[in-house]
PDB file of all heavy atoms in Angstrom:
ATOM      1  N   ALA A  34       0.848  -1.187  -0.003  1.00 41.00           N
ATOM      2  CA  ALA A  34       0.000  -0.002   0.000  1.00 41.00           C
ATOM      3  C   ALA A  34       0.874   1.234   0.002  1.00 41.00           C
ATOM      4  O   ALA A  34       1.943   1.258   0.586  1.00 41.00           O
ATOM      5  CB  ALA A  34      -0.906  -0.019   1.222  1.00 41.00           C
ATOM      6  N   GLY A  35       0.436   2.284  -0.643  1.00 46.00           N
ATOM      7  CA  GLY A  35       1.161   3.541  -0.617  1.00 46.00           C
ATOM      8  C   GLY A  35       2.446   3.513  -1.419  1.00 46.00           C
ATOM      9  O   GLY A  35       3.305   4.346  -1.224  1.00 46.00           O
ATOM     10  N   GLY A  36       2.651   2.518  -2.294  1.00 51.00           N
ATOM     11  CA  GLY A  36       3.833   2.489  -3.126  1.00 51.00           C
ATOM     12  C   GLY A  36       5.020   1.837  -2.457  1.00 51.00           C
ATOM     13  O   GLY A  36       6.071   1.705  -3.061  1.00 51.00           O
ATOM     14  N   SER A  37       4.931   1.430  -1.211  1.00 52.00           N
ATOM     15  CA  SER A  37       6.028   0.772  -0.529  1.00 52.00           C
ATOM     16  C   SER A  37       6.226  -0.608  -1.120  1.00 52.00           C
ATOM     17  O   SER A  37       5.283  -1.264  -1.506  1.00 52.00           O
ATOM     18  CB  SER A  37       5.729   0.631   0.960  1.00 52.00           C
ATOM     19  OG  SER A  37       5.546   1.891   1.526  1.00 52.00           O
ATOM     20  N   ARG A  38       7.469  -1.025  -1.191  1.00 50.00           N
ATOM     21  CA  ARG A  38       7.780  -2.339  -1.723  1.00 50.00           C
ATOM     22  C   ARG A  38       7.968  -3.323  -0.592  1.00 50.00           C
ATOM     23  O   ARG A  38       8.688  -3.059   0.349  1.00 50.00           O
ATOM     24  CB  ARG A  38       9.076  -2.283  -2.527  1.00 50.00           C
ATOM     25  CG  ARG A  38       8.875  -2.193  -3.968  1.00 50.00           C
ATOM     26  CD  ARG A  38      10.144  -2.201  -4.779  1.00 50.00           C
ATOM     27  NE  ARG A  38      11.383  -2.138  -4.039  1.00 50.00           N
ATOM     28  CZ  ARG A  38      12.276  -3.119  -4.002  1.00 50.00           C
ATOM     29  NH1 ARG A  38      12.071  -4.235  -4.634  1.00 50.00           N
ATOM     30  NH2 ARG A  38      13.386  -2.970  -3.341  1.00 50.00           N
ATOM     31  N   SER A  39       7.332  -4.461  -0.707  1.00 49.00           N
ATOM     32  CA  SER A  39       7.569  -5.542   0.235  1.00 49.00           C
ATOM     33  C   SER A  39       8.820  -6.263  -0.243  1.00 49.00           C
ATOM     34  O   SER A  39       8.896  -6.680  -1.387  1.00 49.00           O
ATOM     35  CB  SER A  39       6.390  -6.510   0.270  1.00 49.00           C
ATOM     36  OG  SER A  39       6.704  -7.616   1.057  1.00 49.00           O
ATOM     37  N   VAL A  40       9.808  -6.374   0.615  1.00 47.00           N
ATOM     38  CA  VAL A  40      11.040  -7.022   0.239  1.00 47.00           C
ATOM     39  C   VAL A  40      10.827  -8.527   0.101  1.00 47.00           C
ATOM     40  O   VAL A  40      11.370  -9.176  -0.756  1.00 47.00           O
ATOM     41  CB  VAL A  40      12.143  -6.720   1.271  1.00 47.00           C
ATOM     42  CG1 VAL A  40      13.426  -7.434   0.925  1.00 47.00           C
ATOM     43  CG2 VAL A  40      12.385  -5.216   1.329  1.00 47.00           C
ATOM     44  N   PHE A  41      10.020  -9.089   0.966  1.00 45.00           N
ATOM     45  CA  PHE A  41       9.706 -10.513   0.918  1.00 45.00           C
ATOM     46  C   PHE A  41       8.208 -10.680   0.815  1.00 45.00           C
ATOM     47  O   PHE A  41       7.472 -10.008   1.512  1.00 45.00           O
ATOM     48  CB  PHE A  41      10.197 -11.230   2.176  1.00 45.00           C
ATOM     49  CG  PHE A  41      11.682 -11.188   2.344  1.00 45.00           C
ATOM     50  CD1 PHE A  41      12.255 -10.309   3.234  1.00 45.00           C
ATOM     51  CD2 PHE A  41      12.490 -12.005   1.586  1.00 45.00           C
ATOM     52  CE1 PHE A  41      13.625 -10.253   3.382  1.00 45.00           C
ATOM     53  CE2 PHE A  41      13.859 -11.956   1.731  1.00 45.00           C
ATOM     54  CZ  PHE A  41      14.438 -11.076   2.630  1.00 45.00           C
ATOM     55  N   GLY A  42       7.778 -11.600  -0.011  1.00 47.00           N
ATOM     56  CA  GLY A  42       6.365 -11.961  -0.075  1.00 47.00           C
ATOM     57  C   GLY A  42       6.054 -12.827   1.122  1.00 47.00           C
ATOM     58  O   GLY A  42       6.867 -12.957   2.028  1.00 47.00           O
ATOM     59  N   PRO A  43       4.887 -13.462   1.115  1.00 45.00           N
ATOM     60  CA  PRO A  43       4.574 -14.334   2.252  1.00 45.00           C
ATOM     61  C   PRO A  43       5.577 -15.472   2.306  1.00 45.00           C
ATOM     62  O   PRO A  43       6.000 -15.974   1.280  1.00 45.00           O
ATOM     63  CB  PRO A  43       3.170 -14.849   1.939  1.00 45.00           C
ATOM     64  CG  PRO A  43       2.998 -14.640   0.482  1.00 45.00           C
ATOM     65  CD  PRO A  43       3.860 -13.476   0.101  1.00 45.00           C
ATOM     66  N   PRO A  44       6.015 -15.847   3.508  1.00 43.00           N
ATOM     67  CA  PRO A  44       6.970 -16.933   3.610  1.00 43.00           C
ATOM     68  C   PRO A  44       6.371 -18.240   3.112  1.00 43.00           C
ATOM     69  O   PRO A  44       5.199 -18.490   3.301  1.00 43.00           O
ATOM     70  CB  PRO A  44       7.273 -17.008   5.104  1.00 43.00           C
ATOM     71  CG  PRO A  44       6.423 -16.031   5.772  1.00 43.00           C
ATOM     72  CD  PRO A  44       5.617 -15.291   4.767  1.00 43.00           C
ATOM     73  N   VAL A  45       7.164 -19.025   2.472  1.00 39.00           N
ATOM     74  CA  VAL A  45       6.724 -20.324   2.007  1.00 39.00           C
ATOM     75  C   VAL A  45       7.510 -21.377   2.778  1.00 39.00           C
ATOM     76  O   VAL A  45       8.724 -21.467   2.657  1.00 39.00           O
ATOM     77  CB  VAL A  45       6.978 -20.489   0.487  1.00 39.00           C
ATOM     78  CG1 VAL A  45       6.595 -21.880   0.025  1.00 39.00           C
ATOM     79  CG2 VAL A  45       6.211 -19.434  -0.278  1.00 39.00           C
ATOM     80  N   PRO A  46       6.823 -22.165   3.627  1.00 37.00           N
ATOM     81  CA  PRO A  46       7.549 -23.156   4.422  1.00 37.00           C
ATOM     82  C   PRO A  46       8.033 -24.316   3.559  1.00 37.00           C
ATOM     83  O   PRO A  46       7.394 -24.669   2.575  1.00 37.00           O
ATOM     84  CB  PRO A  46       6.519 -23.622   5.444  1.00 37.00           C
ATOM     85  CG  PRO A  46       5.204 -23.252   4.880  1.00 37.00           C
ATOM     86  CD  PRO A  46       5.413 -22.123   3.911  1.00 37.00           C
ATOM     87  N   TYR A  47       9.154 -24.871   3.927  1.00 31.00           N
ATOM     88  CA  TYR A  47       9.724 -26.015   3.233  1.00 31.00           C
ATOM     89  C   TYR A  47       9.427 -27.266   4.029  1.00 31.00           C
ATOM     90  O   TYR A  47       9.946 -27.446   5.118  1.00 31.00           O
ATOM     91  CB  TYR A  47      11.221 -25.834   3.043  1.00 31.00           C
ATOM     92  CG  TYR A  47      11.531 -24.675   2.146  1.00 31.00           C
ATOM     93  CD1 TYR A  47      11.810 -23.421   2.678  1.00 31.00           C
ATOM     94  CD2 TYR A  47      11.505 -24.813   0.773  1.00 31.00           C
ATOM     95  CE1 TYR A  47      12.071 -22.351   1.846  1.00 31.00           C
ATOM     96  CE2 TYR A  47      11.761 -23.751  -0.059  1.00 31.00           C
ATOM     97  CZ  TYR A  47      12.050 -22.517   0.478  1.00 31.00           C
ATOM     98  OH  TYR A  47      12.297 -21.468  -0.344  1.00 31.00           O
ATOM     99  N   GLY A  48       8.595 -28.145   3.498  1.00 29.00           N
ATOM    100  CA  GLY A  48       8.285 -29.399   4.167  1.00 29.00           C
ATOM    101  C   GLY A  48       7.408 -29.235   5.394  1.00 29.00           C
ATOM    102  O   GLY A  48       7.307 -30.139   6.207  1.00 29.00           O
ATOM    103  N   ILE A  49       6.757 -28.094   5.558  1.00 31.00           N
ATOM    104  CA  ILE A  49       5.894 -27.863   6.718  1.00 31.00           C
ATOM    105  C   ILE A  49       4.491 -27.602   6.191  1.00 31.00           C
ATOM    106  O   ILE A  49       4.308 -26.795   5.293  1.00 31.00           O
ATOM    107  CB  ILE A  49       6.368 -26.639   7.538  1.00 31.00           C
ATOM    108  CG1 ILE A  49       7.791 -26.871   8.041  1.00 31.00           C
ATOM    109  CG2 ILE A  49       5.425 -26.337   8.686  1.00 31.00           C
ATOM    110  CD1 ILE A  49       8.404 -25.648   8.682  1.00 31.00           C
ATOM    111  N   ALA A  50       3.510 -28.277   6.751  1.00 36.00           N
ATOM    112  CA  ALA A  50       2.117 -28.045   6.343  1.00 36.00           C
ATOM    113  C   ALA A  50       1.746 -26.618   6.685  1.00 36.00           C
ATOM    114  O   ALA A  50       2.175 -26.079   7.697  1.00 36.00           O
ATOM    115  CB  ALA A  50       1.198 -29.020   7.047  1.00 36.00           C
ATOM    116  N   THR A  51       0.925 -25.978   5.831  1.00 41.00           N
ATOM    117  CA  THR A  51       0.528 -24.602   6.098  1.00 41.00           C
ATOM    118  C   THR A  51      -0.553 -24.500   7.166  1.00 41.00           C
ATOM    119  O   THR A  51      -0.883 -23.430   7.604  1.00 41.00           O
ATOM    120  CB  THR A  51       0.041 -23.902   4.811  1.00 41.00           C
ATOM    121  OG1 THR A  51      -1.031 -24.650   4.270  1.00 41.00           O
ATOM    122  CG2 THR A  51       1.162 -23.756   3.818  1.00 41.00           C
ATOM    123  N   HIS A  52      -1.121 -25.613   7.576  1.00 43.00           N
ATOM    124  CA  HIS A  52      -2.031 -25.618   8.704  1.00 43.00           C
ATOM    125  C   HIS A  52      -2.165 -27.039   9.234  1.00 43.00           C
ATOM    126  O   HIS A  52      -1.717 -27.986   8.605  1.00 43.00           O
ATOM    127  CB  HIS A  52      -3.406 -25.046   8.330  1.00 43.00           C
ATOM    128  CG  HIS A  52      -4.163 -25.880   7.348  1.00 43.00           C
ATOM    129  ND1 HIS A  52      -3.854 -25.902   6.013  1.00 43.00           N
ATOM    130  CD2 HIS A  52      -5.191 -26.723   7.527  1.00 43.00           C
ATOM    131  CE1 HIS A  52      -4.674 -26.723   5.396  1.00 43.00           C
ATOM    132  NE2 HIS A  52      -5.493 -27.245   6.279  1.00 43.00           N
ATOM    133  N   ASP A  53      -2.729 -27.151  10.399  1.00 46.00           N
ATOM    134  CA  ASP A  53      -2.885 -28.456  11.034  1.00 46.00           C
ATOM    135  C   ASP A  53      -4.342 -28.885  10.869  1.00 46.00           C
ATOM    136  O   ASP A  53      -5.209 -28.428  11.590  1.00 46.00           O
ATOM    137  CB  ASP A  53      -2.498 -28.340  12.506  1.00 46.00           C
ATOM    138  CG  ASP A  53      -2.476 -29.681  13.201  1.00 46.00           C
ATOM    139  OD1 ASP A  53      -3.166 -30.613  12.744  1.00 46.00           O
ATOM    140  OD2 ASP A  53      -1.780 -29.796  14.219  1.00 46.00           O
ATOM    141  N   ASP A  54      -4.608 -29.738   9.881  1.00 42.00           N
ATOM    142  CA  ASP A  54      -5.979 -30.163   9.589  1.00 42.00           C
ATOM    143  C   ASP A  54      -6.637 -30.853  10.773  1.00 42.00           C
ATOM    144  O   ASP A  54      -7.828 -30.727  10.987  1.00 42.00           O
ATOM    145  CB  ASP A  54      -6.007 -31.101   8.382  1.00 42.00           C
ATOM    146  CG  ASP A  54      -5.684 -30.373   7.098  1.00 42.00           C
ATOM    147  OD1 ASP A  54      -6.081 -29.199   6.986  1.00 42.00           O
ATOM    148  OD2 ASP A  54      -5.034 -30.961   6.224  1.00 42.00           O
ATOM    149  N   ARG A  55      -5.872 -31.604  11.558  1.00 47.00           N
ATOM    150  CA  ARG A  55      -6.452 -32.335  12.692  1.00 47.00           C
ATOM    151  C   ARG A  55      -6.965 -31.374  13.753  1.00 47.00           C
ATOM    152  O   ARG A  55      -7.929 -31.656  14.431  1.00 47.00           O
ATOM    153  CB  ARG A  55      -5.409 -33.243  13.350  1.00 47.00           C
ATOM    154  CG  ARG A  55      -4.930 -34.368  12.468  1.00 47.00           C
ATOM    155  CD  ARG A  55      -3.774 -35.039  13.130  1.00 47.00           C
ATOM    156  NE  ARG A  55      -2.816 -33.981  13.418  1.00 47.00           N
ATOM    157  CZ  ARG A  55      -1.768 -34.097  14.194  1.00 47.00           C
ATOM    158  NH1 ARG A  55      -1.506 -35.216  14.787  1.00 47.00           N
ATOM    159  NH2 ARG A  55      -0.945 -33.102  14.392  1.00 47.00           N
ATOM    160  N   ARG A  56      -6.303 -30.252  13.896  1.00 57.00           N
ATOM    161  CA  ARG A  56      -6.678 -29.332  14.969  1.00 57.00           C
ATOM    162  C   ARG A  56      -7.464 -28.131  14.458  1.00 57.00           C
ATOM    163  O   ARG A  56      -7.933 -27.334  15.261  1.00 57.00           O
ATOM    164  CB  ARG A  56      -5.418 -28.834  15.685  1.00 57.00           C
ATOM    165  CG  ARG A  56      -4.683 -29.979  16.356  1.00 57.00           C
ATOM    166  CD  ARG A  56      -3.525 -29.456  17.122  1.00 57.00           C
ATOM    167  NE  ARG A  56      -2.747 -30.555  17.674  1.00 57.00           N
ATOM    168  CZ  ARG A  56      -1.654 -30.397  18.328  1.00 57.00           C
ATOM    169  NH1 ARG A  56      -1.155 -29.190  18.521  1.00 57.00           N
ATOM    170  NH2 ARG A  56      -0.991 -31.429  18.807  1.00 57.00           N
ATOM    171  N   GLY A  57      -7.563 -27.971  13.164  1.00 66.00           N
ATOM    172  CA  GLY A  57      -8.366 -26.878  12.614  1.00 66.00           C
ATOM    173  C   GLY A  57      -7.773 -25.498  12.856  1.00 66.00           C
ATOM    174  O   GLY A  57      -8.491 -24.546  13.068  1.00 66.00           O
ATOM    175  N   GLY A  58      -6.476 -25.399  12.826  1.00 81.00           N
ATOM    176  CA  GLY A  58      -5.825 -24.118  13.102  1.00 81.00           C
ATOM    177  C   GLY A  58      -5.849 -23.156  11.935  1.00 81.00           C
ATOM    178  O   GLY A  58      -5.952 -23.563  10.775  1.00 81.00           O
ATOM    179  N   LEU A  59      -5.772 -21.867  12.231  1.00 86.00           N
ATOM    180  CA  LEU A  59      -5.611 -20.835  11.211  1.00 86.00           C
ATOM    181  C   LEU A  59      -4.256 -21.088  10.550  1.00 86.00           C
ATOM    182  O   LEU A  59      -3.257 -21.239  11.251  1.00 86.00           O
ATOM    183  CB  LEU A  59      -5.645 -19.452  11.869  1.00 86.00           C
ATOM    184  CG  LEU A  59      -5.661 -18.240  10.973  1.00 86.00           C
ATOM    185  CD1 LEU A  59      -6.992 -18.160  10.221  1.00 86.00           C
ATOM    186  CD2 LEU A  59      -5.448 -16.992  11.792  1.00 86.00           C
ATOM    187  N   PRO A  60      -4.193 -21.183   9.237  1.00 91.00           N
ATOM    188  CA  PRO A  60      -2.956 -21.592   8.575  1.00 91.00           C
ATOM    189  C   PRO A  60      -1.782 -20.640   8.811  1.00 91.00           C
ATOM    190  O   PRO A  60      -1.958 -19.437   8.956  1.00 91.00           O
ATOM    191  CB  PRO A  60      -3.326 -21.584   7.090  1.00 91.00           C
ATOM    192  CG  PRO A  60      -4.802 -21.649   7.045  1.00 91.00           C
ATOM    193  CD  PRO A  60      -5.285 -20.987   8.298  1.00 91.00           C
ATOM    194  N   VAL A  61      -0.601 -21.213   8.803  1.00 93.00           N
ATOM    195  CA  VAL A  61       0.634 -20.423   8.751  1.00 93.00           C
ATOM    196  C   VAL A  61       0.557 -19.639   7.441  1.00 93.00           C
ATOM    197  O   VAL A  61      -0.020 -20.118   6.464  1.00 93.00           O
ATOM    198  CB  VAL A  61       1.864 -21.361   8.755  1.00 93.00           C
ATOM    199  CG1 VAL A  61       3.143 -20.588   8.467  1.00 93.00           C
ATOM    200  CG2 VAL A  61       1.975 -22.102  10.070  1.00 93.00           C
ATOM    201  N   ASN A  62       1.099 -18.446   7.394  1.00 95.00           N
ATOM    202  CA  ASN A  62       1.101 -17.564   6.223  1.00 95.00           C
ATOM    203  C   ASN A  62      -0.244 -16.923   5.946  1.00 95.00           C
ATOM    204  O   ASN A  62      -0.485 -16.438   4.848  1.00 95.00           O
ATOM    205  CB  ASN A  62       1.594 -18.279   4.956  1.00 95.00           C
ATOM    206  CG  ASN A  62       3.013 -18.729   5.064  1.00 95.00           C
ATOM    207  OD1 ASN A  62       3.804 -18.117   5.760  1.00 95.00           O
ATOM    208  ND2 ASN A  62       3.337 -19.816   4.401  1.00 95.00           N
ATOM    209  N   THR A  63      -1.135 -16.900   6.935  1.00 95.00           N
ATOM    210  CA  THR A  63      -2.408 -16.195   6.767  1.00 95.00           C
ATOM    211  C   THR A  63      -2.110 -14.701   6.710  1.00 95.00           C
ATOM    212  O   THR A  63      -1.389 -14.164   7.545  1.00 95.00           O
ATOM    213  CB  THR A  63      -3.364 -16.509   7.936  1.00 95.00           C
ATOM    214  OG1 THR A  63      -3.672 -17.892   7.920  1.00 95.00           O
ATOM    215  CG2 THR A  63      -4.647 -15.690   7.828  1.00 95.00           C
ATOM    216  N   GLU A  64      -2.681 -14.031   5.718  1.00 96.00           N
ATOM    217  CA  GLU A  64      -2.463 -12.589   5.548  1.00 96.00           C
ATOM    218  C   GLU A  64      -3.264 -11.814   6.592  1.00 96.00           C
ATOM    219  O   GLU A  64      -4.427 -12.092   6.828  1.00 96.00           O
ATOM    220  CB  GLU A  64      -2.895 -12.176   4.147  1.00 96.00           C
ATOM    221  CG  GLU A  64      -2.614 -10.728   3.829  1.00 96.00           C
ATOM    222  CD  GLU A  64      -3.002 -10.396   2.403  1.00 96.00           C
ATOM    223  OE1 GLU A  64      -2.245 -10.761   1.472  1.00 96.00           O
ATOM    224  OE2 GLU A  64      -4.069  -9.775   2.231  1.00 96.00           O
ATOM    225  N   VAL A  65      -2.599 -10.818   7.213  1.00 97.00           N
ATOM    226  CA  VAL A  65      -3.234  -9.944   8.197  1.00 97.00           C
ATOM    227  C   VAL A  65      -2.902  -8.510   7.796  1.00 97.00           C
ATOM    228  O   VAL A  65      -1.738  -8.172   7.582  1.00 97.00           O
ATOM    229  CB  VAL A  65      -2.708 -10.220   9.627  1.00 97.00           C
ATOM    230  CG1 VAL A  65      -3.393  -9.320  10.638  1.00 97.00           C
ATOM    231  CG2 VAL A  65      -2.874 -11.683  10.004  1.00 97.00           C
ATOM    232  N   SER A  66      -3.917  -7.657   7.676  1.00 97.00           N
ATOM    233  CA  SER A  66      -3.696  -6.241   7.341  1.00 97.00           C
ATOM    234  C   SER A  66      -3.449  -5.458   8.626  1.00 97.00           C
ATOM    235  O   SER A  66      -4.239  -5.536   9.562  1.00 97.00           O
ATOM    236  CB  SER A  66      -4.912  -5.668   6.612  1.00 97.00           C
ATOM    237  OG  SER A  66      -5.065  -6.298   5.368  1.00 97.00           O
ATOM    238  N   LEU A  67      -2.356  -4.695   8.625  1.00 98.00           N
ATOM    239  CA  LEU A  67      -1.974  -3.885   9.788  1.00 98.00           C
ATOM    240  C   LEU A  67      -1.850  -2.428   9.375  1.00 98.00           C
ATOM    241  O   LEU A  67      -1.263  -2.114   8.338  1.00 98.00           O
ATOM    242  CB  LEU A  67      -0.623  -4.364  10.355  1.00 98.00           C
ATOM    243  CG  LEU A  67      -0.548  -5.821  10.802  1.00 98.00           C
ATOM    244  CD1 LEU A  67       0.879  -6.173  11.193  1.00 98.00           C
ATOM    245  CD2 LEU A  67      -1.493  -6.077  11.953  1.00 98.00           C
ATOM    246  N   ARG A  68      -2.398  -1.531  10.195  1.00 98.00           N
ATOM    247  CA  ARG A  68      -2.345  -0.090   9.943  1.00 98.00           C
ATOM    248  C   ARG A  68      -1.296   0.533  10.862  1.00 98.00           C
ATOM    249  O   ARG A  68      -1.290   0.282  12.071  1.00 98.00           O
ATOM    250  CB  ARG A  68      -3.705   0.545  10.201  1.00 98.00           C
ATOM    251  CG  ARG A  68      -3.703   2.065   9.977  1.00 98.00           C
ATOM    252  CD  ARG A  68      -5.079   2.682  10.142  1.00 98.00           C
ATOM    253  NE  ARG A  68      -5.926   2.230   9.047  1.00 98.00           N
ATOM    254  CZ  ARG A  68      -7.034   1.497   9.219  1.00 98.00           C
ATOM    255  NH1 ARG A  68      -7.436   1.144  10.405  1.00 98.00           N
ATOM    256  NH2 ARG A  68      -7.744   1.122   8.177  1.00 98.00           N
TER     257      ARG A  68
END
């Protein structure tokens, strides 16, 4: 936003599930907007 450049995009885990299906967790790498 505002023309700022993000140096890194969302992290991509290597060999790690993005969420725990058994426990129903909010996935790793979930986008959150911060002001």
Side-chain angles (χ1 to χ4, degrees):
S37 300
R38 260 183 353 115
S39 173
V40 178
F41 297 102
V45 177
Y47 295 95
I49 300 172
T51 57
H52 66 284
D53 187 336
D54 290 325
R55 294 171 306 168
R56 297 184 185 176
L59 187 68
V61 171
N62 297 330
T63 296
E64 185 177 283
V65 181
S66 294
L67 302 174
R68 179 176 292 117

